[in-house]
Amino acid sequence: MADTAMTHALGCLGVYFAKAVFSKVLQVHPLKRFNVLQITRMHFQWDWLCLGALIISSVTAEIENEETLDADVEVEDFDKQSQEADVDRDKSSLEVVYQTPKPTGEVYFTETFDGVLAGWVLSKTKKEDTDDNIAKYDGRWEVEELKENTVPGDRGLVLKSVAKHHAISAMLTKAFIFDNKPLIVQYEVNFQEGIDCGGAYIKLLSSSDDLNLEYFFDKTPYTIMFGPDKCGEDYKLHFIFRHKNPKTGEYDEKHAKRPDVDLKKFYLDKKTHLYTLVLKPDDTFEMLIDQSVVSKGSLLEDMVPPVNPPKEIEDPSDKKPDDWDERPKIPDPNAVKPDDWDEDEPSKIEDSDAVKPEGWLDDEPQYVPDPNAKKPKDWDEEMDGEWEAPQIPNPKCETAPGCGHWVRPMKNNPNYKGKWKAPMIDNPNYQGIWSPRKIPNPDYFEDLHPFEMTTVSAVGLELWSMTSDIYFDNFIICSEKEVADRWAADGWGLKKLVASANEPGMFSQLVTAAEDHPWLWVLYILTLALPVGLGVLFCWPAKKTDEDIDFKKPDISKPITKGELKQEREELEDDEIELEEKENEDTAEDERREMEETKRELIKDTKKMGREAPPSEDEGEGGEDIDEEENEVADGSQEGGMSNKSGSEDEMKEADESTGFGDGPLKSVRKRRVRKD
């Protein structure tokens, strides 16, 4: 549920982030595509979207919580009888109606501990090779209810003693023979006080004529050992079977490889967990906790040591030759030490450039006797010697760079090269790493079906624990998975339902998860603080400037009609036409200026010619023409000044249009102001 809540929180964070990005875009390109009224509405819609996301997240979390409670009871294919035995998930543990589970198919052993403890035998023997004070199997067992998440009427077998050996066992209803049927072993364990060092595994005892449960101890032959075990920080889930060597008839223990999952929580959460072992005739196995597979493999490939020994082994009589060279690199025999290589140069030398710090107290020691120290009253100078006050740092040295004899600091010697060594080269005589030759394994055998183990006729608990109150319940040994699942639904499923109903809220679960994984605190803080910070930063009303008020008020206070929009369009078209006319006038003006310059040059040439030749009547007329042309030039310059003035007004208008305001009404406001100016 913590993961679900985190997902919804991150979803809402995404909504806030999208809003923040949108607000930043508006700041960079203000009112480029939206008018003020539209932007205000969109901000309002963003706020409602964020609120809706939070509401949906809360509702979804509640729905998933209810679905989780439903899923706690639904374990694979349970029949209607087991579902009727499950109580409604809204009821508390005190209202649960418990019925003792009953097997629905063929079984080899079942035990619920709800009635009289019949058929179980306490061991009366002692553990071998152990101190007599603790060798006896005198650990105490009791049948009682769970301490937490109690199901009224449901009781289990509880290991009560600390630092004692416990042993109890019972015969199977009928022996299990490993032929063509799977073996399923299933039971419940609850470490009610946690676990420091101890186990909760069971042993399936091998069938034999001399099997006596009163003498059940650690050396009693067993076929399979399965279950949890822990000591220190080593969390294990054992699956061990004893394999018979077909050549020698001796038995060797074969251990399954460690599961890849973290088992720690199953030992420390003080909840009832369901442990299941499934062995199949195809020589495969599965280990499950709470009906989830935590390890699986093959009896032929995934056991340590392997069931079948190797075909070849190293020859124990083979020895490495004396001249065998395993060195891949050797020193170059032709290398010579350089003449300037001085091996006597030290690695450190005094820094000749160092200067004694100013204020260094040469005559003051670094440590002085403690003036406040007094000789103990029980000090005996004959026995303890002359008493001396303990040394303390010299207080005068605290304000000085240093005290005592000043010594120059050391620095790296630039001439240091160290001891010369010849460079390494490839060894021409390298022969590789030597290994003994292989010979056929005299003890080799091949067991293609290790599933065919020794027949099982009893089940037993032989344990040592430093923690009390280990709870066992609902043992079953059968061959059908459906039977084991229905058995689990009527027992463990009900306990899980009650535990789920009594679990703390989502906040407590988040805190618990953070205690196991401290890095989650950072994620929690970011998830909560980031949306709040973004909300304050982007959703808080910003202070409006005078320019915003000047341009936004006409649009907000007064709705825009179709007529006004039409008038705005016409004004824009007129402005475009005026702009084109101004551009044409500017082009014509440039042409006029070029013609005037040409005329001035002609006038100058004519004047020069007049100085060289006598004046005539024609020249007088020409002079008048020239005067008229000069007047025209002057008039043209005045017209040019007027065109420059109008050109500056056009530039002002273009500058206003280039500010980036895309709304028609705002364009008209800016352009009307230009015309007034």
Side-chain angles (χ1 to χ4, degrees), residues 535-544:
V536 172
L537 182 61
F538 298 105
C539 300
W540 195 267
K543 185 177 181 181
K544 297 182 179 179

Side-chain angles (χ1 to χ4, degrees), residues 23 60 161 174 277 340-341 407 427 431 497 527 567 613 623 663:
S23 300
T60 306
S161 303
K174 61 178 179 178
L277 171 66
D340 60 348
W341 191 286
V407 179
N427 184 1
Q431 296 175 274
L497 174 64
T527 304
Q567 183 179 357
D663 297 318

